[in-house]
Amino acid sequence: MTEIDPRALRNAFGAFMTGVTVVTTHDQDGNPLGFTANSFTSVSLDPPLVLVCLANSSRNYDAFYQADGFAVNVLAEDQKEVSNTFARPVEDRFAAVNWQKGPHGAPVFDGVSAWFDCATFNRVEAGDHLILIGEVKAFENATHPGLGYARGAYVTPAAEAEALSRGSTLKVSALIAHEGKVLLSGDDKGQLVLPEVKVGKGGATAALKQLIAASGVIAEPGFIYAVYEDDACETQHITFLCQASGGTPSSGIFTELSESTLMSVADPAVCTMLSRFAEESRMGDFGVYYGNQVSGEVRPLTKGD
Amino acid sequence: MTEIDPRALRNAFGAFMTGVTVVTTHDQDGNPLGFTANSFTSVSLDPPLVLVCLANSSRNYDAFYQADGFAVNVLAEDQKEVSNTFARPVEDRFAAVNWQKGPHGAPVFDGVSAWFDCATFNRVEAGDHLILIGEVKAFENATHPGLGYARGAYVTPAAEAEALSRGSTLKVSALIAHEGKVLLSGDDKGQLVLPEVKVGKGGATAALKQLIAASGVIAEPGFIYAVYEDDACETQHITFLCQASGGTPSSGIFTELSESTLMSVADPAVCTMLSRFAEESRMGDFGVYYGNQVSGEVRPLTKGD
């Protein structure tokens, strides 16, 4: 049995698609507390049980451990910002949403796909996390599509289909990532660009495969990371997030997304997207994926290579 | 606190998007066993832990309870059939995949997004399910996009984007579902059809909203359920799965998808899609969602209303 590399394991965990939740409770003074988590699953119908995992290192660990209940808010596709807020060290996270006390007392949000207001049923210590099992005392189910999360990035199938259905010329670009770095090359004006190609009759996947083959890197087409419209040119751009597993770039280099790198990206839409990628990668390390608080108390993962 | 309706709760659980896994082990005679489950989550990095929920009513409960380990195979987008096979009462489920013994001994599959071969770490009884916690002893992470599952249907963002990127005329149809029935109406030839409309400049969502408004039913745009091409007419069809929450159809009726109903659907692509919906709805009841075996031992859910 080989030694487990925590960073590689974390990436493999990301292969399993999930929704995104914000788990909430009150502290002993009645202040609302909450954190973003995707380590949620339904468990049982009779009695009705759900579970969520909480990092031992979370600054709210004690409050959630001692609480007599908690709520799980399943975020809708348009609530990325709520997810980000509850994964960041924000002063007043609850200012970002309309919320109220659920029937069992924990904060439940407006505009979510569903919420479950639970009584604490059991607590199970499991390595560096606590499995918090709740008995559903009340719930609400809306019809909004849920926000998804996979491979360290949000997945929003309904929003993407909408953008793609508007027609016009289509270009595909590849956000080829390796250990947090992104494959960028310089254009003829010295600006940094992603590999991009116009979509032909073969469709987006054929175009993407062509891009990857030309890159010299071993990577497989992944999820759509962004769809955006370039008004001036009446072009739709689709960016696929592709994880590289080996090979050597034939042009361009894998680049850390520092502030100075981002300033050399000419296209504002690409710049925004790469900023988001840089932020979400950080959150993937410490935030969303493990349902941790982003705080000084969170110990960094051992870096593998 | 109101009484919890198990059927409504099950639907609400479906709001949380998930991946799809097949969990495997061997029985005491060395025969491979496996079942489809989406109640999986990663738990801890140090030690490396994952969990999956197994129904008490599963015919393989004892084998998994007693096993010294199990593997979790995270299915890729093109492995819907593997998911279906391991959720059905199929004689030899393992004939459907290429598999081998993982380093810790449980069956791991080819072509998956990732697999985790685990030693049993802990078992926690939780209502009508067992929470099986495994310590990851070996794993593999491929780059294939994972298969998703939400609101009782598969989600395949990469495949949908591919189909949509091929251009051509676009039509949107609505699969409006209510308690397992689907809103169908008769066309001028007496054939059953879904509400459908051509996509205008407003895009697919505007077209879908128009369809729903015209239906008289209260429903919200949901996920894309199918994308298919009508070769003869060079038209792309997108079907959205929408859950109805009330209202009265202004034309058509909510129809049980019996065999005779399906025979009155003229369009073969729609017929195939509705057959799939009928099958997946059944699996949603007993199969995929709760990671149960589809077998006589599974007790039916209490029917709501």
Side-chain angles (χ1 to χ4, degrees), chain A residues 1 9 13 16-19 21 39-48 50 103 126-129 137 139 141-145 151 161-162 165 170 204-205 220-221 224 243 289 301, chain B residues 1 9 13 16-19 21 39-50 103 126-129 137 139 141-145 151 161-162 165 170 204-205 220-221 224 289 301:
Chain A
M1 216 81 356
L9 179 66
F13 283 166
F16 183 77
M17 202 186 298
T18 66
T21 73
S39 55
F40 165 82
T41 186
S42 54
V43 176
S44 167
L45 279 180
D46 180 21
V50 299
D128 55 27
H129 279 64
K137 291 297 187 182
F139 68 97
N141 180 18
T143 50
H144 315 302
R151 301 270 190 209
E162 167 57 15
S165 70
L170 203 58
T205 302
E220 203 160 337
I224 294 182
Q243 298 294 338
Y289 198 78
L301 301 173
Chain B
M1 217 80 356
L9 179 66
F13 283 166
F16 183 77
M17 201 186 299
T18 66
T21 73
S39 55
F40 165 82
T41 186
S42 54
V43 175
S44 167
L45 278 180
D46 181 21
L49 303 177
V50 299
D128 55 27
H129 279 64
K137 291 297 187 182
F139 67 98
N141 181 17
T143 49
H144 315 302
R151 301 269 189 210
E162 166 57 15
S165 70
L170 203 59
T205 302
E220 203 159 337
I224 295 182
Y289 197 77
L301 300 173

Coordinates of all heavy atoms in Angstrom, one line a residue, chain A residues 1 9 13 16-19 21 39-48 50 103 126-129 137 139 141-145 151 161-162 165 170 204-205 220-221 224 243 289 301, chain B residues 1 9 13 16-19 21 39-50 103 126-129 137 139 141-145 151 161-162 165 170 204-205 220-221 224 289 301:
Chain A
M1 N 0.9 -1.2 0.0 CA 0.0 0.0 0.0 C 0.9 1.2 0.0 O 1.8 1.4 0.8 CB -0.9 0.0 1.3 CG -2.2 0.5 1.1 SD -3.5 -0.6 0.4 CE -2.7 -2.1 -0.1
L9 N -5.1 13.3 -3.0 CA -6.3 12.8 -2.5 C -7.4 13.8 -2.6 O -8.5 13.5 -3.0 CB -6.1 12.2 -1.1 CG -7.4 11.6 -0.5 CD1 -7.8 10.4 -1.2 CD2 -7.2 11.4 1.0
F13 N -10.9 13.5 -4.5 CA -12.3 13.7 -3.8 C -13.1 14.6 -4.7 O -14.3 14.5 -4.8 CB -12.1 14.4 -2.5 CG -11.7 13.4 -1.4 CD1 -11.2 13.9 -0.1 CD2 -11.7 12.0 -1.5 CE1 -10.8 13.1 0.9 CE2 -11.3 11.2 -0.5 CZ -10.9 11.7 0.7
F16 N -16.0 13.7 -7.5 CA -17.4 13.5 -7.1 C -18.1 14.8 -7.1 O -17.8 15.7 -6.3 CB -17.5 12.8 -5.8 CG -18.9 12.4 -5.4 CD1 -19.5 11.3 -5.9 CD2 -19.6 13.2 -4.5 CE1 -20.8 11.0 -5.6 CE2 -20.9 12.8 -4.1 CZ -21.5 11.7 -4.7
M17 N -19.1 15.0 -8.1 CA -19.8 16.2 -8.1 C -20.7 16.4 -6.9 O -21.2 15.4 -6.3 CB -20.7 16.2 -9.4 CG -21.2 17.5 -9.9 SD -22.4 17.5 -11.2 CE -21.4 16.6 -12.5
T18 N -20.9 17.6 -6.5 CA -21.8 17.8 -5.3 C -22.6 19.1 -5.5 O -22.3 19.9 -6.4 CB -20.9 18.1 -4.0 OG1 -20.2 19.3 -4.1 CG2 -20.0 16.9 -3.7
G19 N -23.6 19.3 -4.7 CA -24.2 20.6 -4.5 C -23.4 21.4 -3.6 O -22.3 21.0 -3.1
T21 N -23.8 23.7 0.0 CA -24.8 24.1 1.1 C -24.1 25.1 2.0 O -22.9 25.3 2.0 CB -25.1 22.9 2.0 OG1 -24.0 22.6 2.8 CG2 -25.5 21.7 1.2
S39 N -19.9 18.7 1.9 CA -19.8 17.4 2.4 C -21.1 17.0 3.1 O -21.1 16.7 4.3 CB -18.6 17.3 3.4 OG -18.8 18.3 4.4
F40 N -22.2 17.1 2.3 CA -23.5 16.8 2.8 C -24.0 15.6 2.2 O -23.8 15.3 1.0 CB -24.4 18.0 2.5 CG -25.9 17.8 2.6 CD1 -26.5 17.9 3.8 CD2 -26.6 17.4 1.5 CE1 -27.9 17.6 4.0 CE2 -28.0 17.2 1.6 CZ -28.6 17.3 2.9
T41 N -24.8 14.8 2.9 CA -25.6 13.8 2.2 C -26.9 13.5 3.0 O -26.9 13.6 4.3 CB -24.8 12.5 2.0 OG1 -25.6 11.6 1.2 CG2 -24.4 11.7 3.2
S42 N -27.9 13.1 2.3 CA -29.1 12.6 3.0 C -28.8 11.1 3.4 O -28.0 10.4 2.8 CB -30.3 12.6 2.1 OG -30.0 11.9 0.9
V43 N -29.4 10.7 4.6 CA -29.0 9.5 5.2 C -30.2 8.5 5.3 O -30.1 7.3 5.0 CB -28.4 9.7 6.6 CG1 -28.1 8.4 7.3 CG2 -27.1 10.5 6.5
S44 N -31.3 9.0 5.8 CA -32.4 8.1 6.2 C -33.7 8.8 6.0 O -33.8 10.0 6.1 CB -32.2 7.7 7.6 OG -33.3 7.1 8.2
L45 N -34.8 8.0 5.7 CA -36.1 8.6 5.6 C -36.9 8.4 6.9 O -37.7 9.2 7.3 CB -36.9 8.0 4.4 CG -36.6 8.5 3.0 CD1 -37.5 7.8 2.0 CD2 -36.9 10.0 3.0
D46 N -36.6 7.3 7.6 CA -37.4 6.9 8.8 C -36.5 6.4 9.9 O -36.1 5.3 9.8 CB -38.4 5.9 8.4 CG -39.3 5.5 9.6 OD1 -39.4 6.3 10.5 OD2 -39.9 4.4 9.5
P47 N -36.1 7.3 10.8 CA -36.4 8.7 10.9 C -35.7 9.5 9.8 O -34.7 9.0 9.3 CB -35.8 9.1 12.3 CG -34.7 8.1 12.5 CD -35.1 6.8 11.9
P48 N -36.1 10.7 9.6 CA -35.5 11.6 8.5 C -34.2 12.1 9.0 O -34.1 13.0 9.9 CB -36.5 12.7 8.3 CG -37.3 12.8 9.5 CD -37.3 11.4 10.2
V50 N -30.0 13.6 8.0 CA -29.0 14.1 7.0 C -27.7 14.2 7.8 O -27.7 14.1 9.0 CB -29.4 15.5 6.4 CG1 -30.7 15.4 5.7 CG2 -29.4 16.5 7.5
P103 N -38.3 26.7 11.6 CA -39.3 26.2 12.7 C -38.5 25.6 13.9 O -39.0 25.7 15.0 CB -40.1 25.2 11.9 CG -40.0 25.6 10.5 CD -38.7 26.2 10.3
A126 N -14.5 11.6 13.2 CA -14.0 10.8 12.1 C -12.7 11.6 11.5 O -12.9 12.5 10.7 CB -15.0 10.7 11.0
G127 N -11.6 11.2 12.1 CA -10.3 11.9 11.6 C -10.3 13.4 11.9 O -10.7 13.8 13.0
D128 N -10.0 14.2 10.9 CA -9.9 15.6 11.1 C -11.2 16.3 11.0 O -11.3 17.6 10.9 CB -8.8 16.2 10.2 CG -9.0 15.9 8.7 OD1 -10.2 15.7 8.3 OD2 -8.0 15.9 8.0
H129 N -12.3 15.6 10.9 CA -13.7 16.2 10.8 C -14.6 15.5 11.8 O -14.4 14.4 12.2 CB -14.2 16.0 9.4 CG -13.7 17.0 8.4 ND1 -12.4 17.1 8.0 CD2 -14.4 18.0 7.7 CE1 -12.3 18.1 7.2 NE2 -13.4 18.7 7.0
K137 N -36.5 18.3 11.1 CA -37.7 18.7 11.9 C -38.7 19.4 11.0 O -39.9 19.5 11.2 CB -37.4 19.5 13.1 CG -36.6 18.7 14.2 CD -37.6 17.6 14.7 CE -37.0 16.8 15.9 NZ -37.8 15.7 16.3
F139 N -38.7 21.2 6.6 CA -37.9 21.4 5.4 C -38.8 22.2 4.4 O -40.0 22.2 4.5 CB -37.4 20.1 4.8 CG -38.5 19.2 4.3 CD1 -38.8 19.2 2.9 CD2 -39.2 18.4 5.1 CE1 -39.8 18.4 2.4 CE2 -40.2 17.6 4.6 CZ -40.5 17.6 3.3
N141 N -38.8 22.8 0.0 CA -38.2 22.4 -1.3 C -38.7 23.3 -2.4 O -39.9 23.3 -2.7 CB -38.6 20.9 -1.6 CG -38.1 20.4 -2.9 OD1 -37.1 20.9 -3.4 ND2 -38.7 19.3 -3.4
A142 N -37.8 24.1 -3.0 CA -38.2 25.0 -4.1 C -37.9 24.3 -5.4 O -37.4 23.1 -5.4 CB -37.5 26.3 -4.0
T143 N -38.1 24.9 -6.5 CA -37.9 24.2 -7.8 C -36.6 24.8 -8.5 O -36.3 24.3 -9.5 CB -39.1 24.3 -8.7 OG1 -39.5 25.7 -8.7 CG2 -40.2 23.5 -8.2
H144 N -35.9 25.8 -7.8 CA -34.7 26.3 -8.5 C -33.7 25.2 -8.7 O -33.5 24.4 -7.8 CB -34.0 27.3 -7.6 CG -34.9 28.3 -7.0 ND1 -35.8 29.1 -7.7 CD2 -35.2 28.6 -5.7 CE1 -36.4 29.9 -6.9 NE2 -36.1 29.6 -5.6
P145 N -33.0 25.2 -9.9 CA -31.9 24.3 -10.0 C -30.8 24.6 -9.0 O -30.6 25.8 -8.6 CB -31.4 24.6 -11.4 CG -32.5 25.3 -12.1 CD -33.3 26.0 -11.1
R151 N -14.5 19.2 -9.2 CA -13.1 19.5 -9.6 C -12.7 20.9 -9.3 O -12.1 21.6 -10.1 CB -12.9 19.3 -11.1 CG -13.3 17.9 -11.6 CD -12.1 17.0 -11.6 NE -12.4 15.7 -12.3 CZ -11.7 14.6 -11.9 NH1 -10.9 14.6 -10.9 NH2 -12.0 13.5 -12.6
A161 N -26.5 26.3 -20.4 CA -27.4 26.0 -21.5 C -28.0 27.3 -22.1 O -28.2 27.5 -23.3 CB -28.4 25.0 -21.1
E162 N -28.4 28.1 -21.1 CA -29.1 29.4 -21.5 C -28.1 30.2 -22.4 O -28.5 30.7 -23.5 CB -29.4 30.2 -20.3 CG -29.8 31.6 -20.5 CD -31.0 31.8 -21.4 OE1 -31.7 30.8 -21.7 OE2 -31.2 32.9 -21.9
S165 N -27.6 28.7 -25.8 CA -28.8 28.7 -26.7 C -29.0 30.0 -27.5 O -29.9 30.1 -28.3 CB -30.0 28.3 -25.9 OG -30.4 29.4 -25.1
L170 N -19.1 30.7 -32.2 CA -18.7 30.1 -31.0 C -17.2 29.9 -31.0 O -16.6 29.4 -31.9 CB -19.4 28.7 -30.9 CG -19.6 28.1 -29.5 CD1 -20.4 29.0 -28.6 CD2 -20.4 26.8 -29.7
A204 N -18.0 21.6 -30.1 CA -17.1 22.1 -29.1 C -16.0 21.1 -28.6 O -14.9 21.4 -28.4 CB -17.9 22.6 -27.9
T205 N -16.5 19.8 -28.5 CA -15.5 18.8 -28.0 C -14.4 18.6 -29.0 O -13.2 18.5 -28.6 CB -16.2 17.5 -27.7 OG1 -17.3 17.8 -26.7 CG2 -15.3 16.5 -27.1
E220 N -7.6 16.1 -20.3 CA -8.8 15.6 -20.8 C -9.9 16.7 -20.7 O -9.9 17.4 -19.8 CB -9.3 14.3 -20.1 CG -10.2 13.5 -21.0 CD -10.2 12.1 -20.5 OE1 -9.3 11.6 -19.8 OE2 -11.2 11.4 -20.8
P221 N -10.8 16.8 -21.8 CA -11.8 17.8 -21.7 C -12.6 17.6 -20.4 O -13.0 16.6 -20.0 CB -12.7 17.4 -22.9 CG -11.8 16.7 -23.8 CD -10.9 15.9 -22.9
I224 N -17.4 22.7 -18.4 CA -17.5 24.1 -18.8 C -17.2 25.0 -17.6 O -17.8 24.8 -16.5 CB -18.8 24.5 -19.4 CG1 -19.1 23.7 -20.7 CG2 -18.9 26.0 -19.6 CD1 -20.4 24.1 -21.3
Q243 N -7.9 19.4 -16.5 CA -6.8 19.1 -15.6 C -5.7 18.4 -16.3 O -6.0 17.4 -16.9 CB -7.3 18.2 -14.4 CG -8.4 18.9 -13.5 CD -7.9 20.1 -12.7 OE1 -6.7 20.2 -12.5 NE2 -8.8 21.0 -12.4
Y289 N -14.5 23.1 -0.3 CA -14.5 21.7 -0.4 C -14.6 21.0 1.0 O -15.3 20.0 1.1 CB -13.4 21.1 -1.2 CG -13.8 19.7 -1.6 CD1 -14.7 19.5 -2.6 CD2 -13.4 18.6 -0.8 CE1 -15.1 18.2 -2.9 CE2 -13.8 17.3 -1.1 CZ -14.7 17.1 -2.1 OH -15.2 15.9 -2.4
L301 N -2.8 22.3 4.2 CA -2.6 20.9 3.8 C -1.1 20.7 3.6 O -0.4 21.6 3.2 CB -3.3 20.6 2.5 CG -4.8 20.8 2.6 CD1 -5.4 20.7 1.2 CD2 -5.4 19.8 3.6
Chain B
M1 N -44.1 21.7 15.1 CA -43.4 20.9 14.1 C -44.4 20.0 13.3 O -45.1 19.3 13.9 CB -42.3 20.1 14.8 CG -41.1 20.0 14.0 SD -39.9 21.3 14.2 CE -40.6 22.6 15.1
L9 N -40.1 14.7 1.4 CA -38.7 14.8 1.9 C -37.7 14.2 0.9 O -36.7 14.8 0.6 CB -38.6 14.1 3.2 CG -37.2 14.1 3.9 CD1 -36.8 15.5 4.3 CD2 -37.1 13.2 5.1
F13 N -34.6 16.1 -0.7 CA -33.2 15.6 -0.7 C -32.6 15.7 -2.1 O -31.4 15.9 -2.3 CB -33.2 14.1 -0.3 CG -33.3 13.9 1.2 CD1 -33.6 12.6 1.7 CD2 -33.2 14.9 2.1 CE1 -33.7 12.4 3.1 CE2 -33.3 14.7 3.5 CZ -33.6 13.5 4.0
F16 N -30.2 18.6 -3.7 CA -28.7 18.6 -3.6 C -28.1 17.8 -4.7 O -28.3 16.5 -4.8 CB -28.3 18.0 -2.2 CG -26.8 18.1 -2.0 CD1 -26.2 19.3 -1.6 CD2 -26.0 17.0 -2.1 CE1 -24.9 19.4 -1.4 CE2 -24.7 17.0 -1.8 CZ -24.1 18.3 -1.4
M17 N -27.4 18.4 -5.6 CA -26.7 17.7 -6.7 C -25.7 16.7 -6.2 O -25.0 17.0 -5.2 CB -26.1 18.7 -7.7 CG -25.9 18.2 -9.1 SD -24.9 19.3 -10.1 CE -26.0 20.7 -10.1
T18 N -25.5 15.6 -6.8 CA -24.5 14.7 -6.4 C -23.8 14.1 -7.6 O -24.3 14.2 -8.7 CB -25.0 13.5 -5.6 OG1 -25.9 12.7 -6.5 CG2 -25.8 14.0 -4.4
G19 N -22.7 13.4 -7.4 CA -22.2 12.5 -8.4 C -22.9 11.1 -8.2 O -23.8 11.0 -7.4
T21 N -21.9 7.0 -7.7 CA -20.9 6.0 -7.4 C -21.4 4.6 -7.5 O -22.6 4.4 -7.4 CB -20.2 6.2 -6.0 OG1 -21.2 5.7 -5.0 CG2 -19.9 7.6 -5.7
S39 N -25.1 8.6 -2.1 CA -25.0 9.1 -0.7 C -23.5 9.0 -0.2 O -23.3 8.3 0.8 CB -25.9 8.4 0.2 OG -25.6 7.0 0.1
F40 N -22.6 9.6 -1.0 CA -21.2 9.5 -0.7 C -20.7 10.8 -0.3 O -21.1 11.9 -0.8 CB -20.5 9.0 -2.0 CG -19.0 9.2 -2.0 CD1 -18.2 8.3 -1.4 CD2 -18.4 10.3 -2.6 CE1 -16.8 8.5 -1.4 CE2 -17.0 10.5 -2.6 CZ -16.2 9.6 -2.0
T41 N -19.7 10.9 0.6 CA -19.0 12.2 0.8 C -17.6 11.9 1.3 O -17.4 10.9 2.0 CB -19.8 13.2 1.7 OG1 -19.0 14.4 1.7 CG2 -19.9 12.7 3.1
S42 N -16.7 12.7 0.9 CA -15.4 12.7 1.5 C -15.5 13.3 2.9 O -16.3 14.1 3.2 CB -14.4 13.4 0.7 OG -14.8 14.8 0.5
V43 N -14.7 12.8 3.9 CA -14.8 13.1 5.3 C -13.6 13.8 5.8 O -13.6 14.8 6.5 CB -15.2 11.9 6.1 CG1 -15.2 12.2 7.6 CG2 -16.5 11.3 5.6
S44 N -12.4 13.2 5.6 CA -11.2 13.6 6.3 C -10.0 13.3 5.4 O -10.0 12.4 4.6 CB -11.1 12.8 7.6 OG -9.8 12.9 8.2
L45 N -8.9 14.2 5.6 CA -7.7 13.9 4.9 C -6.7 13.2 5.7 O -5.8 12.5 5.2 CB -7.1 15.3 4.4 CG -7.6 15.9 3.2 CD1 -6.9 17.2 2.9 CD2 -7.5 15.0 2.0
D46 N -6.7 13.4 7.1 CA -5.7 12.8 8.0 C -6.4 12.3 9.2 O -6.6 13.1 10.1 CB -4.7 13.9 8.3 CG -3.6 13.4 9.2 OD1 -3.4 12.1 9.3 OD2 -2.9 14.2 9.9
P47 N -6.7 11.0 9.3 CA -6.5 10.0 8.2 C -7.4 10.2 7.1 O -8.5 10.9 7.2 CB -6.8 8.7 9.0 CG -7.8 9.1 10.0 CD -7.4 10.5 10.4
P48 N -7.1 9.6 5.9 CA -8.0 9.8 4.7 C -9.3 8.9 4.8 O -9.2 7.7 4.8 CB -7.1 9.3 3.6 CG -6.1 8.4 4.2 CD -5.9 8.8 5.6
L49 N -10.4 9.6 5.0 CA -11.7 8.9 5.2 C -12.8 9.3 4.2 O -12.8 10.5 3.9 CB -12.2 9.2 6.6 CG -11.3 8.8 7.8 CD1 -12.0 9.2 9.1 CD2 -11.0 7.3 7.8
V50 N -13.6 8.4 3.8 CA -14.8 8.7 3.1 C -16.0 8.0 3.7 O -15.8 7.1 4.6 CB -14.7 8.2 1.6 CG1 -13.5 8.9 0.9 CG2 -14.5 6.7 1.5
P103 N -5.9 -2.4 -5.0 CA -4.7 -2.8 -4.1 C -5.2 -3.3 -2.7 O -4.5 -4.2 -2.1 CB -4.0 -1.5 -3.9 CG -4.3 -0.7 -5.1 CD -5.7 -1.1 -5.5
A126 N -27.7 4.6 11.5 CA -28.4 5.9 11.4 C -29.8 5.7 10.8 O -29.9 5.7 9.5 CB -27.6 6.9 10.7
G127 N -30.8 5.5 11.6 CA -32.1 5.3 11.0 C -32.2 4.1 10.1 O -31.7 3.0 10.5
D128 N -32.8 4.2 8.9 CA -33.0 3.1 8.0 C -31.7 2.8 7.2 O -31.8 2.0 6.2 CB -34.2 3.3 7.2 CG -34.3 4.6 6.4 OD1 -33.2 5.1 6.1 OD2 -35.4 5.0 6.1
H129 N -30.6 3.5 7.5 CA -29.4 3.3 6.7 C -28.2 3.0 7.7 O -28.2 3.4 8.8 CB -29.0 4.5 5.8 CG -29.8 4.5 4.5 ND1 -31.2 4.6 4.5 CD2 -29.4 4.3 3.2 CE1 -31.6 4.5 3.2 NE2 -30.5 4.4 2.4
K137 N -7.1 3.4 1.3 CA -5.8 2.7 1.3 C -5.1 2.9 -0.1 O -3.9 2.8 -0.2 CB -6.0 1.2 1.5 CG -6.4 0.9 2.9 CD -5.3 1.4 3.9 CE -5.7 0.9 5.4 NZ -4.6 1.4 6.3
F139 N -6.0 5.0 -4.2 CA -7.0 5.7 -5.0 C -6.4 6.0 -6.4 O -5.2 6.0 -6.6 CB -7.5 6.9 -4.3 CG -6.5 8.0 -4.2 CD1 -6.4 9.1 -5.1 CD2 -5.5 8.0 -3.2 CE1 -5.5 10.1 -5.0 CE2 -4.6 9.0 -3.1 CZ -4.5 10.0 -4.0
N141 N -7.2 8.8 -9.7 CA -8.0 10.0 -10.1 C -7.8 10.2 -11.6 O -6.7 10.5 -12.0 CB -7.5 11.2 -9.3 CG -8.3 12.5 -9.7 OD1 -9.3 12.4 -10.3 ND2 -7.7 13.6 -9.3
A142 N -8.8 10.0 -12.4 CA -8.7 10.3 -13.8 C -9.2 11.7 -14.1 O -9.6 12.4 -13.2 CB -9.5 9.3 -14.6
T143 N -9.2 12.1 -15.4 CA -9.6 13.5 -15.6 C -11.0 13.5 -16.3 O -11.5 14.6 -16.6 CB -8.6 14.2 -16.5 OG1 -8.3 13.4 -17.6 CG2 -7.3 14.5 -15.8
H144 N -11.7 12.4 -16.5 CA -13.0 12.4 -17.1 C -14.0 13.2 -16.2 O -14.0 13.0 -15.0 CB -13.6 11.0 -17.1 CG -12.7 9.9 -17.6 ND1 -12.1 10.0 -18.8 CD2 -12.3 8.8 -17.0 CE1 -11.4 8.9 -19.0 NE2 -11.4 8.2 -17.9
P145 N -14.8 14.0 -16.8 CA -15.9 14.7 -16.1 C -16.8 13.6 -15.4 O -17.0 12.5 -16.0 CB -16.7 15.5 -17.1 CG -15.8 15.6 -18.3 CD -14.9 14.4 -18.3
R151 N -32.4 16.0 -8.7 CA -33.9 16.0 -8.9 C -34.3 14.8 -9.7 O -35.1 14.9 -10.6 CB -34.3 17.3 -9.7 CG -33.9 18.6 -9.1 CD -35.0 19.1 -8.2 NE -34.8 20.4 -7.7 CZ -35.2 20.9 -6.5 NH1 -35.9 20.1 -5.7 NH2 -35.0 22.1 -6.2
A161 N -23.2 20.5 -23.3 CA -22.5 21.7 -24.0 C -22.1 21.3 -25.4 O -22.2 22.0 -26.3 CB -21.3 22.1 -23.1
E162 N -21.6 20.0 -25.5 CA -21.2 19.5 -26.8 C -22.3 19.6 -27.8 O -22.2 20.1 -28.9 CB -20.7 18.1 -26.6 CG -20.5 17.3 -27.9 CD -19.5 18.0 -28.9 OE1 -18.8 18.9 -28.4 OE2 -19.5 17.6 -30.0
S165 N -23.3 23.1 -28.9 CA -22.3 23.8 -29.6 C -22.3 23.6 -31.1 O -21.6 24.2 -31.8 CB -20.9 23.6 -29.0 OG -20.5 22.2 -29.4
L170 N -32.9 25.7 -33.0 CA -33.1 25.2 -31.6 C -34.5 25.2 -31.2 O -35.2 26.2 -31.3 CB -32.2 26.1 -30.7 CG -31.8 25.5 -29.4 CD1 -30.9 24.3 -29.6 CD2 -30.9 26.6 -28.7
A204 N -33.0 30.2 -24.6 CA -33.7 29.0 -24.2 C -34.6 29.2 -23.0 O -35.7 28.7 -22.9 CB -32.8 27.8 -23.9
T205 N -34.1 30.0 -22.0 CA -34.8 30.2 -20.8 C -36.1 31.0 -21.0 O -37.2 30.7 -20.5 CB -34.0 30.9 -19.7 OG1 -32.8 30.1 -19.5 CG2 -34.7 31.1 -18.4
E220 N -41.1 25.6 -12.4 CA -40.0 26.5 -12.6 C -39.0 25.8 -13.5 O -38.8 24.5 -13.4 CB -39.3 26.8 -11.3 CG -38.5 28.1 -11.4 CD -38.2 28.7 -10.0 OE1 -39.0 28.4 -9.1 OE2 -37.3 29.5 -9.9
P221 N -38.3 26.5 -14.4 CA -37.3 25.9 -15.3 C -36.3 25.1 -14.5 O -35.7 25.6 -13.5 CB -36.6 27.1 -15.9 CG -37.6 28.2 -15.8 CD -38.3 28.0 -14.6
I224 N -31.5 20.7 -17.8 CA -31.7 20.1 -19.1 C -31.8 18.6 -18.9 O -31.0 18.0 -18.2 CB -30.5 20.4 -20.0 CG1 -30.4 21.9 -20.3 CG2 -30.5 19.5 -21.3 CD1 -29.3 22.2 -21.2
Y289 N -31.2 6.8 -5.7 CA -31.0 7.8 -4.7 C -30.7 7.3 -3.4 O -29.8 7.9 -2.7 CB -32.2 8.8 -4.6 CG -31.8 10.0 -3.9 CD1 -31.0 11.0 -4.6 CD2 -32.0 10.1 -2.6 CE1 -30.6 12.0 -3.9 CE2 -31.5 11.2 -1.9 CZ -30.8 12.1 -2.5 OH -30.3 13.2 -1.9
L301 N -41.6 3.1 -0.2 CA -41.8 4.3 0.6 C -43.3 4.5 0.8 O -44.2 4.1 0.0 CB -41.3 5.5 -0.2 CG -39.9 5.5 -0.6 CD1 -39.5 6.7 -1.5 CD2 -39.0 5.5 0.7

